[in-house]
Amino acid sequence: MAAMAPGGSGSGGGGVNPFLSDSDEDDDEVAATEDRRAGLRLGSGSGLDPGSADSLSPQDPVALGSSARPGLPGEVSAAAVALGGCGETPARLSIDAIAAQLLRDQYLLTALELHTELLESGRELPRLRDYFSNPGNFERQSGTPPGMGAPGIPGAAGVGGGGGREPSTTSGGGQLNRAGSISTLDSLDFARYSDDGNRETDERVAVLEFELRKAKETIQALRANLTKAAEHEVPLQERKNYKSSPEIQEPIKPLEKRALNFLVNEFLLKNNYKLTSITFSDENDDQDFELWDDVGLNIPKPPDLLQLYRDFGNHQVTGKDLVDVASGVEEDELEALTPVLGSLPTSLETPQTVENSLLVQKLEDKISLLNSEKWSLMEQIRRLESEMDFLKNEHFAIPVVCDSVQPSLDHKDSEDSGQNPVISSSDKQKDKEIHLSKSGEVDSSIPKENFPNSVPRREKEEMPSSSPSSKNTVHFDKPNRKLSPAFHQALLSFCRMSADSRLGSEVSRIADSEKSVMLMLGRCLPHIVPNVLLAKREELIPLILCTACLHPEPKERDQLLHILFNLIKRPDDEQRQMILTGCVAFARHVGPTRVEAELLPQCWEQINHKYPERRLLVAESCGALAPYLPKEIRSSLVLSMLQQMLMEDKADLVREAVIKSLGIIMGYIDDPDKYQQGFELLLSALGDPSERVVSATHQVFLPAYAAWTTELGNLQSHLIPTLLNKIEKLLREGEHGLDEHKLHMYLSALQSLIPSLFALVLQNAPFSSKAKLHGEVPQIEVTRFPRPMSPLQDVSTIIGSREQLAVLLQLYDYQLEHEGTTGWETLLWVVNQLLPQLIEIVGKINVTSTACVHEFSRFFWRLCRTFGKIFTNTKVKPQFQEILRLSEENIDSSAGNGVLTKATVPIYATGVLTCYIQEEDRKLLVGFLEDVMTLLSLSHAPLDSLKASFVELGANPAYHELLLTVLWYGVVHTSALVRCTAARMFEL
């Protein structure tokens, strides 16, 4: 037997690949399967001839299974062997016949294996499927020995205990028989039924588990009976007495006590009264508070205590004559609501019937809906009354106004009332009542279409009339029948319509105006949003925004905007852009007051949110909403929010967004008192440890702040002088060790202010009034200005347009070349105050600090390039040359040597003389370096300033040839000192 291959692989299709039958990895599976089948046959007591196994010789095709005959399906060979006793292989048996034989002879494991293999190969057999999915086939019949099936009942012996899995189980020799559990194929634990060795302990555990489960079921069944008994233990007469006189308190029933105990304990746990809950559980140790079924099996679990308390007020019955002016419900409408009640027998005395609870729930929904409609209508009436007062003075007719405000509603009002549409002002109160009652009728939320015969009296009276409103009413053909309305309603109750749930009531009530659509969306969206995939939630943004814009209820609008800001847990860049776009659209639509009242609080709430993406959204929305806010809010609340985030937020990305939003705020702020606060924010932003934040400051915040400063007239009087003074203070304090980071911070800020300064000079020039765009506009050279860090640092953007800048530049060059700077205050400040102060600062910096030299070189290079060649040649170079005074007479004077050894030399050479690289500029640079080399060599002065010049210029390959020219000059010089210096420069 061990030589046989299994009929089908457990994992593959139906048949076995003959080439794989002998592989090592299948050996264990083959052996286990054959042992299992052998065991089944030996213990089954089914009368299989023991010799039939021997009669199969190794050469028999059936004995060899699929290996010998690849054409025979694996299932057939396996089944043929299982059936055994045949001596010869059938030519071709149908699988159904094999399955029937296996079931008949109770080879259930084999049949199960066959069923599994067929399932895996996609050829399910109905006979096997039906057998294994029926639990009845596995319940042991009483009085039948475990090993034998009852005659005539297929499968009376269960898989668990029957079929003689072990020979000793039928003898009753001290072994526990497996109880017949209600198992189906789906619930079978294959691991438990496997044949790998003796599993007696597991068997015993399984049996005990099952018996315990059965015992619990019995206990619960008994408890159900007790519950029923408890229900009826109060005598009927006594109960009637309690009903007739409510002041007599009926004693609490055991069942009620257990239910209340459960609810109280649940309430305590939900609200974190854990110690009280533990004490309460100890005092009721006869009750299991984990399981509601412990209270009583046939008792549905009520809502929690809080829900019961909130619902309490909704169950007080009022007389029918007490009707709210805006939500009167007619009897016919009640009937239409509850068609089921018509068919109820009158003998039912219990008030807690299902139908009653459904009716109550439906009426509660209706009341809340009508209340919300009432408030919105009251608002509308107040608005209409104020307009009526206004228009009364203008002598306009009122219906025109009403139509313009809400055509659909008032059109119906005036027509339904059947009166003259012109309402005199003295009838204002009457008009109010008509509005309320009629709008209540128009917006009636009852699905009358569902019940044609339950049309309310009002509609029945109006239908025959030829009033204009009849064209708005939908008519249905009435059948020519004499059935009673009650019968009709009972009949229609069999239509399976679900109007008793929240969703059902929404579905059954079609919105008939824009406002009711908004109300419906306001109710439904909070339920829709949580069920939409996070990745797709931005698709809901237009719907949420539209509803939030147009919804009449402030509370609902607030909830919708809250949903918008909490729509996505961690919104990515694209999703944040979408939400921001929506916020801006909302702001444009509703105006500054509602933006302040409704959108800003949502930002404020999330300012300290744990996710940086959400704080990022807040920072970005402050900037995006800035143009749409009231100006006093912009410069107070929003500025404070951004300041707080800049100081406290640890995420670089959030602070970067804050800086950009601050820049936008600076573009809209117009309160001069906030100038100093802005300056402090600028300094803290420039000193931020994050490179991203500093970069954003230079690109957005600083140019925007500079623009405001220029408007206030503080650029030349405060901003630039303050930064220069801070640099001077740093240099004074840093004689022993200069804080290069701070120097870089202030100098880079000054560098970013150069375009704003030049724009100010142009706009305040004597020729600015003459700069008109007419005729051919001159082109600006591409290399005229250094490349700006951001569009806000582009001079043409600051001026207004590239054409305007081109005209101004032409006039600027002409003015400098021919007419001078007389009366040009802004330019004179640059020439007479800024440049001298800068040159003085340059003289104080340490020449050996490569970083400082480089920073100042870049600054002067940008300044000269921005202000142009004429300005550089006529205003900047002369001031440097005057200080340096390069001439042979100065060789021995200490003053000359002093200035030549300072950083002024490398900064003039690399920052000013390299600005323009035409032939004459190059000659000037070469001549300057040769003079410095000669003078320093002859006066035995330190060569640090010359070295710094060579290092700075040598960093750019374009100047290598020029430096070689200078060195060659030194090499061939007549003085040995100069030649020695040239040799030292070669080392660099």
Short mmCIF file of all heavy atoms in Angstrom, two decimals, residues 520-573:
data_model
loop_
_atom_site.label_atom_id
_atom_site.label_comp_id
_atom_site.label_asym_id
_atom_site.label_seq_id
_atom_site.Cartn_x
_atom_site.Cartn_y
_atom_site.Cartn_z
N MET A 520 -30.49 68.48 3.18
CA MET A 520 -30.26 67.04 3.03
C MET A 520 -28.77 66.73 2.99
O MET A 520 -28.29 65.81 3.67
CB MET A 520 -30.96 66.55 1.74
CG MET A 520 -30.82 65.07 1.45
SD MET A 520 -29.34 64.68 0.51
CE MET A 520 -29.71 65.46 -1.04
N LEU A 521 -28.01 67.53 2.22
CA LEU A 521 -26.56 67.30 2.16
C LEU A 521 -25.91 67.50 3.52
O LEU A 521 -25.02 66.75 3.91
CB LEU A 521 -25.92 68.26 1.14
CG LEU A 521 -26.13 67.91 -0.33
CD1 LEU A 521 -25.65 69.04 -1.21
CD2 LEU A 521 -25.39 66.63 -0.70
N GLY A 522 -26.40 68.51 4.24
CA GLY A 522 -25.86 68.76 5.58
C GLY A 522 -26.08 67.58 6.51
O GLY A 522 -25.24 67.27 7.35
N ARG A 523 -27.22 66.90 6.33
CA ARG A 523 -27.49 65.74 7.19
C ARG A 523 -26.71 64.51 6.73
O ARG A 523 -26.26 63.72 7.56
CB ARG A 523 -29.00 65.41 7.16
CG ARG A 523 -29.86 66.43 7.87
CD ARG A 523 -31.29 65.94 7.98
NE ARG A 523 -31.89 65.63 6.70
CZ ARG A 523 -32.57 66.48 5.93
NH1 ARG A 523 -32.73 67.72 6.34
NH2 ARG A 523 -33.09 66.10 4.78
N CYS A 524 -26.56 64.35 5.43
CA CYS A 524 -25.98 63.10 4.90
C CYS A 524 -24.44 63.09 4.87
O CYS A 524 -23.83 62.05 5.07
CB CYS A 524 -26.50 62.82 3.48
SG CYS A 524 -28.25 62.46 3.46
N LEU A 525 -23.84 64.26 4.57
CA LEU A 525 -22.38 64.27 4.39
C LEU A 525 -21.60 63.74 5.60
O LEU A 525 -20.65 62.98 5.42
CB LEU A 525 -21.90 65.68 4.03
CG LEU A 525 -21.98 66.01 2.53
CD1 LEU A 525 -21.73 67.48 2.30
CD2 LEU A 525 -20.98 65.19 1.73
N PRO A 526 -21.98 64.11 6.84
CA PRO A 526 -21.21 63.56 7.98
C PRO A 526 -21.23 62.04 8.03
O PRO A 526 -20.32 61.43 8.58
CB PRO A 526 -21.93 64.16 9.21
CG PRO A 526 -22.57 65.41 8.69
CD PRO A 526 -22.97 65.10 7.29
N HIS A 527 -22.26 61.42 7.42
CA HIS A 527 -22.30 59.94 7.41
C HIS A 527 -21.55 59.37 6.21
O HIS A 527 -21.08 58.25 6.26
CB HIS A 527 -23.76 59.46 7.38
CG HIS A 527 -24.56 59.90 8.56
ND1 HIS A 527 -24.49 59.27 9.79
CD2 HIS A 527 -25.41 60.95 8.73
CE1 HIS A 527 -25.29 59.89 10.64
NE2 HIS A 527 -25.85 60.91 10.04
N ILE A 528 -21.45 60.16 5.14
CA ILE A 528 -20.79 59.66 3.92
C ILE A 528 -19.27 59.69 4.08
O ILE A 528 -18.57 58.73 3.75
CB ILE A 528 -21.21 60.52 2.70
CG1 ILE A 528 -22.71 60.34 2.42
CG2 ILE A 528 -20.39 60.17 1.48
CD1 ILE A 528 -23.27 61.36 1.43
N VAL A 529 -18.76 60.82 4.63
CA VAL A 529 -17.31 61.06 4.64
C VAL A 529 -16.51 59.91 5.27
O VAL A 529 -15.54 59.43 4.67
CB VAL A 529 -16.99 62.40 5.34
CG1 VAL A 529 -15.50 62.55 5.58
CG2 VAL A 529 -17.49 63.56 4.47
N PRO A 530 -16.90 59.41 6.47
CA PRO A 530 -16.06 58.37 7.08
C PRO A 530 -15.97 57.09 6.26
O PRO A 530 -15.05 56.30 6.44
CB PRO A 530 -16.75 58.08 8.43
CG PRO A 530 -17.67 59.23 8.65
CD PRO A 530 -18.05 59.74 7.32
N ASN A 531 -16.91 56.89 5.34
CA ASN A 531 -16.94 55.65 4.57
C ASN A 531 -16.26 55.76 3.21
O ASN A 531 -16.30 54.82 2.41
CB ASN A 531 -18.39 55.18 4.39
CG ASN A 531 -19.04 54.88 5.71
OD1 ASN A 531 -18.52 54.11 6.51
ND2 ASN A 531 -20.17 55.52 5.99
N VAL A 532 -15.67 56.92 2.93
CA VAL A 532 -14.95 57.11 1.66
C VAL A 532 -13.48 56.84 1.92
O VAL A 532 -12.93 57.23 2.95
CB VAL A 532 -15.15 58.54 1.13
CG1 VAL A 532 -14.35 58.76 -0.13
CG2 VAL A 532 -16.62 58.80 0.85
N LEU A 533 -12.83 56.16 0.98
CA LEU A 533 -11.40 55.85 1.11
C LEU A 533 -10.60 57.13 1.32
O LEU A 533 -10.86 58.15 0.67
CB LEU A 533 -10.89 55.16 -0.16
CG LEU A 533 -11.33 53.72 -0.37
CD1 LEU A 533 -10.92 53.27 -1.76
CD2 LEU A 533 -10.71 52.81 0.66
N LEU A 534 -9.60 57.06 2.21
CA LEU A 534 -8.78 58.24 2.51
C LEU A 534 -8.16 58.84 1.27
O LEU A 534 -8.11 60.05 1.09
CB LEU A 534 -7.68 57.86 3.50
CG LEU A 534 -8.07 57.87 4.98
CD1 LEU A 534 -6.97 57.26 5.82
CD2 LEU A 534 -8.37 59.27 5.47
N ALA A 535 -7.70 57.95 0.38
CA ALA A 535 -6.99 58.43 -0.82
C ALA A 535 -7.92 59.18 -1.77
O ALA A 535 -7.46 59.92 -2.63
CB ALA A 535 -6.35 57.25 -1.54
N LYS A 536 -9.24 58.99 -1.61
CA LYS A 536 -10.18 59.60 -2.56
C LYS A 536 -11.05 60.66 -1.91
O LYS A 536 -11.99 61.15 -2.51
CB LYS A 536 -11.08 58.50 -3.16
CG LYS A 536 -10.34 57.55 -4.08
CD LYS A 536 -9.90 58.25 -5.36
CE LYS A 536 -9.02 57.38 -6.22
NZ LYS A 536 -8.39 58.14 -7.30
N ARG A 537 -10.75 61.01 -0.67
CA ARG A 537 -11.65 61.91 0.04
C ARG A 537 -11.67 63.32 -0.53
O ARG A 537 -12.63 64.05 -0.34
CB ARG A 537 -11.29 61.97 1.53
CG ARG A 537 -11.80 60.75 2.26
CD ARG A 537 -12.03 60.99 3.72
NE ARG A 537 -12.36 59.74 4.35
CZ ARG A 537 -12.18 59.49 5.62
NH1 ARG A 537 -11.67 60.41 6.39
NH2 ARG A 537 -12.51 58.33 6.15
N GLU A 538 -10.59 63.71 -1.23
CA GLU A 538 -10.61 65.06 -1.79
C GLU A 538 -11.74 65.24 -2.81
O GLU A 538 -12.13 66.36 -3.12
CB GLU A 538 -9.25 65.45 -2.39
CG GLU A 538 -8.81 64.64 -3.56
CD GLU A 538 -7.87 63.51 -3.17
OE1 GLU A 538 -8.05 62.94 -2.08
OE2 GLU A 538 -6.98 63.18 -3.96
N GLU A 539 -12.25 64.10 -3.33
CA GLU A 539 -13.38 64.18 -4.28
C GLU A 539 -14.62 64.79 -3.60
O GLU A 539 -15.52 65.28 -4.27
CB GLU A 539 -13.73 62.78 -4.80
CG GLU A 539 -12.62 62.08 -5.56
CD GLU A 539 -12.36 62.69 -6.92
OE1 GLU A 539 -13.20 63.46 -7.41
OE2 GLU A 539 -11.27 62.43 -7.50
N LEU A 540 -14.67 64.73 -2.26
CA LEU A 540 -15.84 65.26 -1.53
C LEU A 540 -15.74 66.76 -1.29
O LEU A 540 -16.72 67.38 -0.87
CB LEU A 540 -15.96 64.54 -0.18
CG LEU A 540 -16.39 63.08 -0.22
CD1 LEU A 540 -16.21 62.45 1.13
CD2 LEU A 540 -17.83 62.95 -0.65
N ILE A 541 -14.56 67.35 -1.52
CA ILE A 541 -14.35 68.75 -1.14
C ILE A 541 -15.38 69.69 -1.79
O ILE A 541 -15.98 70.52 -1.10
CB ILE A 541 -12.90 69.20 -1.45
CG1 ILE A 541 -11.93 68.44 -0.54
CG2 ILE A 541 -12.72 70.69 -1.26
CD1 ILE A 541 -10.47 68.64 -0.85
N PRO A 542 -15.65 69.57 -3.12
CA PRO A 542 -16.64 70.50 -3.71
C PRO A 542 -18.01 70.38 -3.05
O PRO A 542 -18.69 71.37 -2.82
CB PRO A 542 -16.71 70.08 -5.19
CG PRO A 542 -15.69 69.04 -5.40
CD PRO A 542 -15.03 68.69 -4.12
N LEU A 543 -18.39 69.14 -2.73
CA LEU A 543 -19.71 68.90 -2.13
C LEU A 543 -19.78 69.53 -0.73
O LEU A 543 -20.76 70.21 -0.39
CB LEU A 543 -19.93 67.38 -2.03
CG LEU A 543 -21.34 66.86 -2.12
CD1 LEU A 543 -22.02 67.36 -3.37
CD2 LEU A 543 -21.34 65.34 -2.11
N ILE A 544 -18.72 69.32 0.06
CA ILE A 544 -18.70 69.86 1.43
C ILE A 544 -18.73 71.39 1.38
O ILE A 544 -19.48 72.04 2.11
CB ILE A 544 -17.43 69.38 2.17
CG1 ILE A 544 -17.49 67.86 2.38
CG2 ILE A 544 -17.29 70.08 3.51
CD1 ILE A 544 -16.20 67.26 2.88
N LEU A 545 -17.91 71.97 0.48
CA LEU A 545 -17.82 73.43 0.42
C LEU A 545 -19.12 74.08 -0.04
O LEU A 545 -19.56 75.06 0.54
CB LEU A 545 -16.70 73.83 -0.55
CG LEU A 545 -15.31 73.77 0.08
CD1 LEU A 545 -14.27 73.81 -1.00
CD2 LEU A 545 -15.11 74.93 1.03
N CYS A 546 -19.72 73.47 -1.04
CA CYS A 546 -20.97 74.01 -1.58
C CYS A 546 -22.03 74.01 -0.48
O CYS A 546 -22.75 74.99 -0.28
CB CYS A 546 -21.40 73.15 -2.76
SG CYS A 546 -22.60 73.95 -3.77
N THR A 547 -22.10 72.90 0.24
CA THR A 547 -23.10 72.80 1.31
C THR A 547 -22.77 73.78 2.43
O THR A 547 -23.67 74.45 2.96
CB THR A 547 -23.11 71.35 1.87
OG1 THR A 547 -23.15 70.43 0.77
CG2 THR A 547 -24.31 71.12 2.74
N ALA A 548 -21.49 73.89 2.79
CA ALA A 548 -21.10 74.82 3.86
C ALA A 548 -21.39 76.28 3.47
O ALA A 548 -21.71 77.10 4.31
CB ALA A 548 -19.62 74.66 4.18
N CYS A 549 -21.28 76.58 2.17
CA CYS A 549 -21.57 77.95 1.70
C CYS A 549 -23.05 78.28 1.84
O CYS A 549 -23.42 79.36 2.29
CB CYS A 549 -21.19 78.08 0.22
SG CYS A 549 -19.49 78.52 -0.04
N LEU A 550 -23.89 77.32 1.43
CA LEU A 550 -25.31 77.64 1.23
C LEU A 550 -26.23 77.14 2.34
O LEU A 550 -27.41 77.44 2.33
CB LEU A 550 -25.78 77.04 -0.11
CG LEU A 550 -24.96 77.48 -1.34
CD1 LEU A 550 -25.42 76.73 -2.57
CD2 LEU A 550 -25.10 78.97 -1.57
N HIS A 551 -25.70 76.37 3.28
CA HIS A 551 -26.57 75.82 4.34
C HIS A 551 -27.06 76.93 5.25
O HIS A 551 -26.28 77.80 5.65
CB HIS A 551 -25.80 74.77 5.15
CG HIS A 551 -26.68 73.80 5.85
ND1 HIS A 551 -27.41 74.13 6.96
CD2 HIS A 551 -26.98 72.50 5.58
CE1 HIS A 551 -28.11 73.07 7.35
NE2 HIS A 551 -27.87 72.08 6.53
N PRO A 552 -28.35 76.92 5.61
CA PRO A 552 -28.88 78.02 6.43
C PRO A 552 -28.48 77.94 7.91
O PRO A 552 -28.54 78.94 8.61
CB PRO A 552 -30.40 77.87 6.29
CG PRO A 552 -30.63 76.45 5.92
CD PRO A 552 -29.42 76.00 5.16
N GLU A 553 -28.07 76.75 8.39
CA GLU A 553 -27.81 76.58 9.82
C GLU A 553 -26.34 76.82 10.16
O GLU A 553 -25.48 76.08 9.67
CB GLU A 553 -28.19 75.16 10.26
CG GLU A 553 -29.67 74.86 10.19
CD GLU A 553 -30.45 75.65 11.23
OE1 GLU A 553 -29.96 75.79 12.36
OE2 GLU A 553 -31.53 76.14 10.89
N PRO A 554 -26.01 77.81 11.01
CA PRO A 554 -24.59 78.05 11.37
C PRO A 554 -23.92 76.81 11.98
O PRO A 554 -22.76 76.53 11.70
CB PRO A 554 -24.67 79.19 12.40
CG PRO A 554 -26.01 79.82 12.18
CD PRO A 554 -26.92 78.76 11.66
N LYS A 555 -24.68 76.09 12.81
CA LYS A 555 -24.09 74.93 13.48
C LYS A 555 -23.68 73.86 12.46
O LYS A 555 -22.60 73.26 12.54
CB LYS A 555 -25.11 74.35 14.46
CG LYS A 555 -24.53 73.34 15.43
CD LYS A 555 -25.60 72.88 16.41
CE LYS A 555 -25.11 71.67 17.20
NZ LYS A 555 -26.16 71.06 17.98
N GLU A 556 -24.56 73.64 11.47
CA GLU A 556 -24.26 72.65 10.42
C GLU A 556 -23.07 73.10 9.58
O GLU A 556 -22.23 72.30 9.20
CB GLU A 556 -25.49 72.45 9.52
CG GLU A 556 -26.67 71.79 10.19
CD GLU A 556 -26.41 70.33 10.51
OE1 GLU A 556 -25.64 69.70 9.78
OE2 GLU A 556 -26.98 69.84 11.50
N ARG A 557 -23.05 74.40 9.29
CA ARG A 557 -21.92 74.92 8.48
C ARG A 557 -20.61 74.70 9.22
O ARG A 557 -19.61 74.30 8.63
CB ARG A 557 -22.12 76.42 8.21
CG ARG A 557 -23.34 76.74 7.38
CD ARG A 557 -23.20 78.10 6.72
NE ARG A 557 -23.12 79.19 7.67
CZ ARG A 557 -24.16 79.92 8.08
NH1 ARG A 557 -25.37 79.67 7.61
NH2 ARG A 557 -23.99 80.90 8.94
N ASP A 558 -20.65 74.95 10.51
CA ASP A 558 -19.45 74.75 11.33
C ASP A 558 -19.01 73.29 11.28
O ASP A 558 -17.82 72.99 11.13
CB ASP A 558 -19.74 75.18 12.77
CG ASP A 558 -18.50 75.12 13.63
OD1 ASP A 558 -17.55 75.88 13.33
OD2 ASP A 558 -18.46 74.33 14.58
N GLN A 559 -19.99 72.39 11.40
CA GLN A 559 -19.66 70.95 11.37
C GLN A 559 -19.05 70.57 10.02
O GLN A 559 -18.07 69.81 9.96
CB GLN A 559 -20.92 70.13 11.62
CG GLN A 559 -20.63 68.63 11.73
CD GLN A 559 -21.89 67.79 11.76
OE1 GLN A 559 -23.00 68.29 11.63
NE2 GLN A 559 -21.73 66.48 11.92
N LEU A 560 -19.60 71.13 8.94
CA LEU A 560 -19.09 70.79 7.60
C LEU A 560 -17.66 71.31 7.40
O LEU A 560 -16.82 70.61 6.83
CB LEU A 560 -20.02 71.36 6.53
CG LEU A 560 -21.36 70.62 6.39
CD1 LEU A 560 -22.36 71.48 5.65
CD2 LEU A 560 -21.17 69.29 5.67
N LEU A 561 -17.39 72.52 7.88
CA LEU A 561 -16.03 73.05 7.74
C LEU A 561 -15.06 72.28 8.63
O LEU A 561 -13.89 72.09 8.27
CB LEU A 561 -16.00 74.54 8.10
CG LEU A 561 -16.70 75.44 7.07
CD1 LEU A 561 -16.82 76.86 7.57
CD2 LEU A 561 -15.97 75.42 5.73
N HIS A 562 -15.56 71.82 9.77
CA HIS A 562 -14.73 70.96 10.63
C HIS A 562 -14.38 69.68 9.88
O HIS A 562 -13.24 69.21 9.91
CB HIS A 562 -15.50 70.65 11.91
CG HIS A 562 -14.72 69.79 12.86
ND1 HIS A 562 -13.68 70.29 13.62
CD2 HIS A 562 -14.81 68.47 13.16
CE1 HIS A 562 -13.18 69.31 14.34
NE2 HIS A 562 -13.83 68.19 14.08
N ILE A 563 -15.37 69.12 9.18
CA ILE A 563 -15.12 67.91 8.38
C ILE A 563 -14.08 68.20 7.30
O ILE A 563 -13.18 67.40 7.05
CB ILE A 563 -16.44 67.40 7.74
CG1 ILE A 563 -17.34 66.80 8.82
CG2 ILE A 563 -16.17 66.37 6.65
CD1 ILE A 563 -18.74 66.47 8.33
N LEU A 564 -14.19 69.38 6.67
CA LEU A 564 -13.25 69.73 5.60
C LEU A 564 -11.81 69.75 6.11
O LEU A 564 -10.91 69.18 5.50
CB LEU A 564 -13.62 71.11 5.03
CG LEU A 564 -12.67 71.66 3.96
CD1 LEU A 564 -12.78 70.84 2.69
CD2 LEU A 564 -12.95 73.11 3.66
N PHE A 565 -11.60 70.39 7.27
CA PHE A 565 -10.24 70.49 7.80
C PHE A 565 -9.75 69.16 8.38
O PHE A 565 -8.56 68.97 8.55
CB PHE A 565 -10.16 71.59 8.86
CG PHE A 565 -9.84 72.94 8.27
CD1 PHE A 565 -10.82 73.70 7.66
CD2 PHE A 565 -8.56 73.43 8.27
CE1 PHE A 565 -10.53 74.93 7.10
CE2 PHE A 565 -8.24 74.65 7.70
CZ PHE A 565 -9.24 75.40 7.12
N ASN A 566 -10.69 68.26 8.70
CA ASN A 566 -10.30 66.95 9.24
C ASN A 566 -10.55 65.83 8.24
O ASN A 566 -10.56 64.66 8.61
CB ASN A 566 -11.07 66.67 10.53
CG ASN A 566 -10.69 67.63 11.62
OD1 ASN A 566 -9.73 67.43 12.34
ND2 ASN A 566 -11.44 68.72 11.74
N LEU A 567 -10.73 66.22 6.97
CA LEU A 567 -11.12 65.25 5.95
C LEU A 567 -10.08 64.14 5.80
O LEU A 567 -10.42 62.97 5.72
CB LEU A 567 -11.27 66.00 4.62
CG LEU A 567 -11.95 65.27 3.47
CD1 LEU A 567 -13.37 64.91 3.84
CD2 LEU A 567 -11.96 66.13 2.22
N ILE A 568 -8.83 64.54 5.79
CA ILE A 568 -7.76 63.56 5.56
C ILE A 568 -6.81 63.65 6.76
O ILE A 568 -6.41 64.74 7.16
CB ILE A 568 -7.01 63.87 4.25
CG1 ILE A 568 -7.99 63.76 3.07
CG2 ILE A 568 -5.85 62.93 4.04
CD1 ILE A 568 -7.66 64.59 1.89
N LYS A 569 -6.49 62.47 7.30
CA LYS A 569 -5.70 62.42 8.55
C LYS A 569 -4.38 63.17 8.39
O LYS A 569 -4.03 64.01 9.19
CB LYS A 569 -5.45 60.95 8.87
CG LYS A 569 -5.02 60.68 10.29
CD LYS A 569 -4.95 59.18 10.44
CE LYS A 569 -4.55 58.74 11.81
NZ LYS A 569 -4.52 57.28 11.90
N ARG A 570 -3.65 62.83 7.31
CA ARG A 570 -2.36 63.48 7.06
C ARG A 570 -2.31 63.90 5.60
O ARG A 570 -1.75 63.19 4.76
CB ARG A 570 -1.21 62.54 7.39
CG ARG A 570 -1.31 61.98 8.80
CD ARG A 570 -0.16 61.07 9.14
NE ARG A 570 1.06 61.84 9.40
CZ ARG A 570 2.06 61.40 10.15
NH1 ARG A 570 2.01 60.22 10.70
NH2 ARG A 570 3.13 62.13 10.34
N PRO A 571 -2.95 65.03 5.24
CA PRO A 571 -3.07 65.41 3.83
C PRO A 571 -1.71 65.65 3.19
O PRO A 571 -0.87 66.36 3.76
CB PRO A 571 -3.90 66.69 3.86
CG PRO A 571 -3.75 67.21 5.25
CD PRO A 571 -3.49 66.04 6.14
N ASP A 572 -1.49 65.07 2.01
CA ASP A 572 -0.22 65.32 1.30
C ASP A 572 -0.30 66.66 0.58
O ASP A 572 -1.31 67.37 0.67
CB ASP A 572 0.10 64.17 0.33
CG ASP A 572 -0.97 64.00 -0.74
OD1 ASP A 572 -1.64 65.00 -1.09
OD2 ASP A 572 -1.16 62.88 -1.24
N ASP A 573 0.75 66.98 -0.15
CA ASP A 573 0.87 68.30 -0.76
C ASP A 573 -0.31 68.60 -1.68
O ASP A 573 -0.93 69.66 -1.61
CB ASP A 573 2.20 68.34 -1.55
CG ASP A 573 2.65 69.77 -1.78
OD1 ASP A 573 2.44 70.61 -0.89
OD2 ASP A 573 3.20 70.06 -2.85
#
